[in-house]
Amino acid sequence: MAKKALCVGINRFRHYPSAALQGCVNDAKEMKSLLTGHFGFSRNSVATLTDSKATKAKIMARLQAMVDGAVAGKYDYLVFSFSSHGTQVPDTGGDEPDMADEAFCPYDLAQDGGKWHPDHIITDDELNALFSSVPEHVTLEVFLDTCHSGTGIRAIDLLIDRKPRYLPPPSLEAFLQIEPLKPRSLANLQLKKATLRHVLWAGCRDDQTSADAFIEDGWHGAFTYYLCRIIRSSANRLTRQQLLGNIRESLKSARYTQIPQLECDDARKSAVIGT
């Protein structure tokens, strides 16, 4: 199986120093280590973009090259991991007027007046459009350790060494446009063709926040930390459904409120991760 991956982790944001996180770069490094150590990726097949290198243009260019390679028959397994702040924008496609689009913050996140500048924010619609070109025989596995809404912030996450990976819209006007809207189901980050072999992992439900947390010896995304730890410590390879259950139980035991999500068809859920 020919493989290609991109692991992104962003702790620092060019225009928003106060929004800094601490565990996202570690997440990208851990994901690369996991892919090369447990899933047969060569080091050259896993690219990482962190902090100032992780602009929207560079992230999208890398993803486009991966998709183009899959279309050309070079790859049959793609992985994209993304650790950063999540945010929301009004539905940009116009197809769901009562919904808010999920959006993801690159290093060069910037405003356009009171809203996020479209050249410096990555929306789920953009990812859907890009990934729609992935051939049917290619498996695409996406790991998002971000927040999808600000409504999931809990007091316990603010009392411990944990910071929600969520940035609200950049102005009161933009927030009021989002606040009445429902966050879209994470299933909307899946592609439109159910027959395509795509797998989406998310660190939390679409109404929750994912924690940037100090765990044992350093800062990590709680979801990414337990994902990597469970895979490394398992005597046998796990199905995706088994892995999801183990991650949820580990987070619950550690008093995290976030509930990771897995979106894929039943065949993929029952298949061993990495296939």
Side-chain angles (χ1 to χ4, degrees):
M1 181 180 287
K3 306 173 182 183
K4 191 71 173 178
L6 173 64
C7 301
V8 176
I10 307 166
N11 287 339
R12 302 287 181 264
F13 302 87
R14 176 187 292 161
H15 304 297
Y16 301 94
S18 64
L21 295 166
Q22 299 186 73
C24 297
V25 171
N26 281 342
D27 285 355
K29 293 177 180 178
E30 282 296 296
M31 287 299 296
K32 178 169 184 175
S33 175
L34 186 74
L35 293 173
T36 56
H38 288 264
F39 294 108
F41 284 74
S42 68
R43 295 195 64 82
N44 290 337
S45 68
V46 184
T48 58
L49 291 174
T50 58
D51 284 344
S52 62
K53 295 181 180 179
T55 63
K56 176 179 180 175
K58 290 182 179 179
I59 293 168
M60 298 304 287
R62 289 274 189 171
L63 290 176
Q64 185 68 64
M66 286 168 55
V67 171
D68 290 345
V71 171
K74 293 170 60 178
Y75 314 124
D76 47 19
Y77 184 46
L78 303 178
V79 171
F80 172 46
S81 74
F82 185 87
S83 293
S84 179
H85 278 302
T87 187
Q88 291 171 294
V89 297
D91 175 45
T92 55
D95 53 339
E96 298 182 78
D98 61 339
M99 299 293 178
D101 274 348
E102 312 300 343
F104 309 97
C105 301
Y107 168 76
D108 57 326
L109 178 72
Q111 294 173 229
D112 180 14
K115 299 181 181 180
W116 296 125
H117 195 295
D119 292 341
H120 303 286
I121 191 79
I122 300 171
T123 68
D124 61 349
D125 284 342
E126 289 177 295
L127 293 180
N128 277 334
L130 175 62
F131 293 147
S132 65
S133 299
V134 175
E136 185 170 345
H137 70 279
V138 174
T139 298
L140 168 67
E141 195 138 13
V142 178
F143 299 86
L144 300 175
D145 201 341
T146 68
C147 299
H148 305 286
S149 154
T151 61
I153 297 174
R154 298 288 185 265
I156 188 172
D157 295 322
L158 303 177
L159 291 171
I160 310 176
D161 282 334
R162 301 175 184 174
K163 181 176 182 178
R165 290 182 172 180
Y166 178 79
L167 280 180
S171 70
L172 177 60
E173 178 186 9
F175 174 81
L176 292 176
Q177 284 186 277
I178 292 298
E179 199 276 335
L181 303 181
K182 302 175 186 176
R184 301 201 312 178
S185 166
L186 288 174
N188 283 290
L189 289 175
Q190 286 291 81
L191 303 185
K192 308 305 180 185
K193 294 182 179 179
T195 56
L196 296 182
R197 298 165 58 190
H198 302 320
V199 181
L200 171 66
W201 295 85
C204 62
R205 290 194 321 231
D206 53 22
D207 61 344
Q208 293 182 323
T209 60
S210 289
D212 194 64
F214 189 86
I215 308 173
E216 294 188 357
D217 60 344
W219 285 85
H220 311 268
F223 165 70
T224 300
Y225 174 83
Y226 286 107
L227 167 81
C228 294
R229 190 177 82 167
I230 289 166
I231 291 174
R232 288 187 174 117
S233 63
S234 178
N236 301 306
R237 295 187 68 184
L238 301 170
T239 68
R240 291 183 177 89
Q241 191 66 54
Q242 289 171 330
L243 178 59
L244 176 67
N246 289 348
I247 297 170
R248 285 179 172 178
E249 184 58 37
S250 294
L251 286 166
K252 183 178 179 181
S253 296
R255 301 196 178 196
Y256 290 89
T257 57
Q258 68 193 76
I259 303 174
Q261 304 295 297
L262 171 63
E263 298 284 353
C264 59
D265 60 29
D266 289 341
R268 291 283 146 209
K269 287 181 181 178
S270 60
V272 170
I273 185 170
T275 61

